[in-house]
Amino acid sequence: MTIFLSPFPQNCIARGLPHCGVDAGTGLLSRNLFACTLERELARVWPRASALLLIDVDGLDDLDEAFGRTGVETVLEQFARRLENLAPRGAALGRLDHDTLALLLAGLEDLHQVTRTAAHIRRALEQPFDLAAGDLMLTACIGIATCPADACTAAELLGHAGIALLHAGLAGHGVCCFYTASMQALPATPWSARYRAHWSGATAGGAVQRPTVPA
């Protein structure tokens, strides 16, 4: 498996993005470096298909209340290792915020690979997580968008995968949703507008500034 840690993306340096590097808690790409990798990889494999999977472990808020942030970080670190083990060769893994991990499958020959990978992720959660207080079983929601079918830019792909993740979370625990255009009409909740802004890159601190893919 290849995790894109080097060479350091030159567009990251050119755009002056802060805090590019590796997430200390999980060892995965940071949000900014993952955004750069996403842009670069979509351009590299264009027009072949790519897929972005955003993954939220269910119940982390309850875990935080019960065991503190240390418990959450322990779960995410163990989950990151499982994702590394199941990710196909050439995949990129990143941590986009406190609780969301991302998996990029670039240059797919077969879109069925996306469904298979999502199934592998769900099976990876069938094994308990090892915490100081004992073993813990968890599930995860997954939001998926593809390029160029769903989006033609890295920013759009990130936003659409985030919307799919929102719908998966609203549907319940352990749900996987593929993005569809009908999802643009987000459910009317107090936080849906903030969620859309977050995954469209509007609150990413400049990490995603409308990167483009060659026509």
Side-chain angles (χ1 to χ4, degrees):
M1 181 186 63
T2 301
I3 304 298
F4 293 103
L5 298 179
S6 64
F8 193 85
Q10 293 302 309
N11 56 346
C12 248
I13 299 173
R15 295 213 303 266
L17 300 183
H19 310 301
C20 286
V22 178
D23 173 65
T26 61
L28 305 182
L29 302 181
S30 68
R31 178 182 178 117
N32 286 331
L33 186 51
F34 186 86
C36 292
T37 301
L38 176 63
E39 178 181 357
R40 181 189 68 198
E41 289 302 293
L42 292 183
R44 182 181 66 83
V45 304
W46 185 267
R48 286 187 292 156
S50 298
L52 177 62
L53 295 80
L54 299 186
I55 310 157
D56 268 358
V57 177
D58 299 317
L60 287 188
D61 288 342
D62 294 336
L63 183 63
D64 195 353
E65 290 183 9
F67 301 105
R69 196 65 207 178
T70 300
V72 172
E73 293 297 320
T74 298
V75 165
L76 291 177
E77 191 277 332
Q78 292 180 25
F79 189 37
R81 301 291 77 75
R82 297 182 191 187
L83 290 178
E84 286 178 338
N85 289 332
L86 65 85
R89 181 175 179 80
L93 283 162
R95 184 177 185 178
L96 301 192
D97 61 18
H98 291 304
D99 301 334
T100 303
L101 305 183
L103 172 61
L104 173 64
L105 306 175
L108 294 170
E109 298 294 338
D110 178 6
L111 283 176
H112 291 296
Q113 183 181 350
V114 184
T115 303
R116 292 193 295 268
T117 300
H120 293 332
I121 292 171
R122 297 171 77 172
R123 282 198 291 272
L125 290 160
E126 293 175 358
Q127 297 298 318
F129 290 90
D130 182 18
L131 297 178
D135 291 345
L136 180 69
M137 298 295 297
L138 293 168
T139 58
C141 285
I142 306 172
I144 303 172
T146 62
C147 174
D150 299 325
C152 291
T153 71
E156 288 173 344
L157 186 63
L158 181 61
H160 290 173
I163 291 172
L165 180 61
L166 168 62
H167 280 263
L170 291 173
H173 286 183
V175 176
C176 177
C177 283
F178 283 79
Y179 172 82
T180 64
S182 63
M183 290 180 177
Q184 286 291 341
L186 286 175
T189 69
W191 41 272
S192 61
R194 294 196 300 274
Y195 198 101
R196 180 195 292 276
H198 180 70
W199 291 117
S200 68
T203 61
V208 181
Q209 295 293 333
R210 298 295 175 195
T212 57
V213 176

